[in-house]
Amino acid sequence: MDIKQNICPKCGRPTEEGLCSSCRVEETKWMICQPRVQCTQCPTCGSLKTGSIWTDSHLEREDLIGELAMSGVKLHEDVEDIKVTLSHHDPTPNRTSVKVTVKATLYGIHVEQSCNILIVWIGEQCDRCSRLSGNYYAGVIQVRADGRKPDDWEKERAIEIAYTVEDSCQNSGDRLSFITKTEETKDGVDIVISSHTIGESIAKEIKNRLGGKYSRHPKLIGEKNGKQVYRITYPVRLPKFRRGDILEINREYFELRSNESGNMKLFDLQNGEIRYVNENEPARLVGNILDSETAFVAYRENDTFGMLDPKTYVNIECIRKPWLEVTEGNEVRFIRDREKDTIILLG
């Protein structure tokens, strides 16, 4: 043996410095396990509680057990090439016993160790489910329309927008912003919400998507922790014209395609172009495409065609619009402007 070569002071084997690898492994407590791990979980939605904070969890039970078991295992910082195997069983409904086996490398030596960790399950209803089950609400969004009742499409669209906003709140971690319920009324639809944050967001988004305006009406209902508590009503007033309405503006006819952010998207029934007009522009309501009629095209000569009035069976001669394809023997839709005793071709 080279006189300059170091030897392990414990076993006498050659080593570069200090203890040899085998003796260092023997002296190192490289794996420490907690005997118990506690998990508080909502039995309704599966969310988890850490301290006083609830967080959503989308883990499957097997993955959650593995994550909880490994939270009770601490490995030495020099451990490398780690391989973990888990096996578990449930001795009681609220207990899971997990055997954790770790195979790894420490100072170039293969090591292996096992331990048992008991997961204690505690069922507790989370803050969100507690509010849901108690029908808690912080406000109501009342979707109505100016001078009319919202149609089915508008009511369905308003509810769809509301749930989209709810998804956005939940995805951003705002667990307590949710829709408690929605219900149709004789004048529109009510959306009951759990927080002022989601109420403001939904009302604003409905207004942006469907047009109109909204306001806020708070009502003091008491105090909590020294702070005043309000419930807020958000009246959302949709514009007086709805999608599919046939409008006369400046002696021209248009079909209303949408109304967003105060601007009406119009289809020009004369030349087929799309135009945008402020929702406050003076307009006369002629009808809606839902009220349209269908007529048989009896003949066509160049841009002139004749159609049979479905009520009187009298031939009505019309000029074809540039955007409208008309074929003899087919049908064409139209709506009557009774105020001016004329018809408006719709396609």
Side-chain angles (χ1 to χ4, degrees):
M1 181 177 67
D2 189 340
I3 194 169
K4 293 183 179 180
Q5 186 175 18
N6 294 322
I7 62 172
C8 174
K10 183 176 181 180
C11 68
R13 286 186 288 228
T15 181
E16 292 182 1
E17 184 179 358
L19 294 174
C20 68
S21 296
S22 297
C23 291
R24 288 179 71 189
V25 170
E26 290 179 6
E27 293 288 322
T28 303
K29 196 169 186 179
W30 62 274
M31 176 175 170
I32 301 174
C33 292
Q34 298 180 30
R36 290 164 61 99
V37 174
Q38 183 172 296
C39 178
T40 302
Q41 187 174 35
C42 177
T44 304
C45 70
S47 57
L48 304 176
K49 187 178 184 182
T50 304
S52 60
I53 306 299
W54 286 96
T55 55
D56 291 320
S57 174
H58 304 290
L59 293 174
E60 298 292 336
R61 179 176 169 80
E62 291 291 320
D63 295 331
L64 179 58
I65 289 173
E67 190 174 279
L68 291 170
M70 291 310 298
S71 71
V73 176
K74 184 178 180 181
L75 299 178
H76 193 277
E77 60 181 7
D78 293 332
V79 172
E80 299 175 335
D81 303 325
I82 302 167
K83 295 181 181 179
V84 180
T85 57
L86 304 172
S87 61
H88 65 85
H89 69 282
D90 299 329
T92 64
N94 61 345
R95 298 286 190 275
T96 298
S97 179
V98 185
K99 182 180 181 180
V100 181
T101 301
V102 178
K103 297 179 180 180
T105 301
L106 179 62
Y107 308 131
I109 304 296
H110 173 76
V111 292
E112 180 177 339
Q113 187 173 326
S114 297
C115 67
N116 292 308
I117 297 176
L118 185 67
I119 300 175
V120 180
W121 302 97
I122 298 175
E124 180 182 328
Q125 194 172 49
C126 71
D127 46 7
R128 181 175 59 202
C129 291
S130 178
R131 291 190 176 192
L132 279 168
S133 62
N135 290 322
Y136 173 86
Y137 73 100
V140 181
I141 301 163
Q142 298 176 333
V143 182
R144 305 293 186 265
D146 185 8
R148 61 182 179 85
K149 295 181 180 180
D151 61 23
D152 290 341
W153 181 87
E154 288 173 317
K155 290 186 286 187
E156 291 172 3
R157 185 73 178 114
I159 293 174
E160 179 185 318
I161 291 169
Y163 279 114
T164 300
V165 173
E166 181 191 46
D167 289 342
S168 178
C169 290
Q170 296 293 314
N171 292 336
S172 66
D174 189 357
R175 289 174 41 82
L176 298 183
S177 287
F178 56 84
I179 296 171
T180 302
K181 63 178 179 178
T182 63
E183 56 185 4
E184 288 198 25
T185 70
K186 63 178 182 178
D187 298 317
V189 64
D190 287 351
I191 303 169
V192 184
I193 41 87
S194 68
S195 74
H196 300 157
T197 300
I198 193 174
E200 192 80 24
S201 297
I202 291 174
K204 183 181 295 184
E205 193 66 12
I206 291 175
K207 177 254 184 185
N208 289 341
R209 298 287 188 87
L210 301 182
K213 57 186 177 180
Y214 78 95
S215 56
R216 305 166 76 255
H217 299 285
K219 179 181 179 182
L220 181 64
I221 61 171
E223 289 190 2
K224 185 176 181 180
N225 299 326
K227 295 183 178 180
Q228 293 180 325
V229 179
Y230 292 88
R231 283 203 177 117
I232 301 179
T233 300
Y234 301 87
V236 179
R237 186 71 62 178
L238 301 182
K240 63 180 179 178
F241 300 126
R242 58 177 175 161
R243 190 178 69 133
D245 277 347
I246 307 302
L247 307 176
E248 184 189 25
I249 302 175
N250 296 327
R251 298 182 181 180
E252 296 181 348
Y253 293 110
F254 301 88
E255 177 192 333
L256 177 59
R257 293 288 175 86
S258 67
N259 192 341
E260 298 185 10
S261 302
N263 287 316
M264 296 189 294
K265 180 181 180 181
L266 303 173
F267 178 75
D268 191 325
L269 294 171
Q270 176 62 35
N271 56 33
E273 296 178 353
I274 295 294
R275 290 177 56 183
Y276 291 88
V277 175
N278 187 279
E279 67 179 2
N280 296 320
E281 182 79 12
R284 180 175 67 88
L285 177 64
V286 177
N288 189 276
I289 57 174
L290 297 176
D291 307 319
S292 65
E293 302 176 59
T294 303
F296 177 77
V297 178
Y299 65 89
R300 175 181 172 181
E301 295 179 1
N302 297 322
D303 285 337
T304 302
F305 69 94
M307 66 180 195
L308 295 179
D309 188 315
K311 291 184 177 179
T312 64
Y313 296 103
V314 172
N315 184 66
I316 303 174
E317 193 166 87
C318 305
I319 302 297
R320 185 184 69 86
K321 306 300 180 183
W323 57 270
L324 179 60
E325 184 60 40
V326 177
T327 305
E328 181 179 325
N330 289 338
E331 294 180 331
V332 65
R333 286 189 310 140
F334 71 95
I335 193 168
R336 301 176 195 268
D337 184 347
R338 301 186 185 280
E339 183 175 311
K340 294 190 173 182
D341 192 26
T342 187
I343 64 169
I344 305 163
L345 298 174
L346 302 178

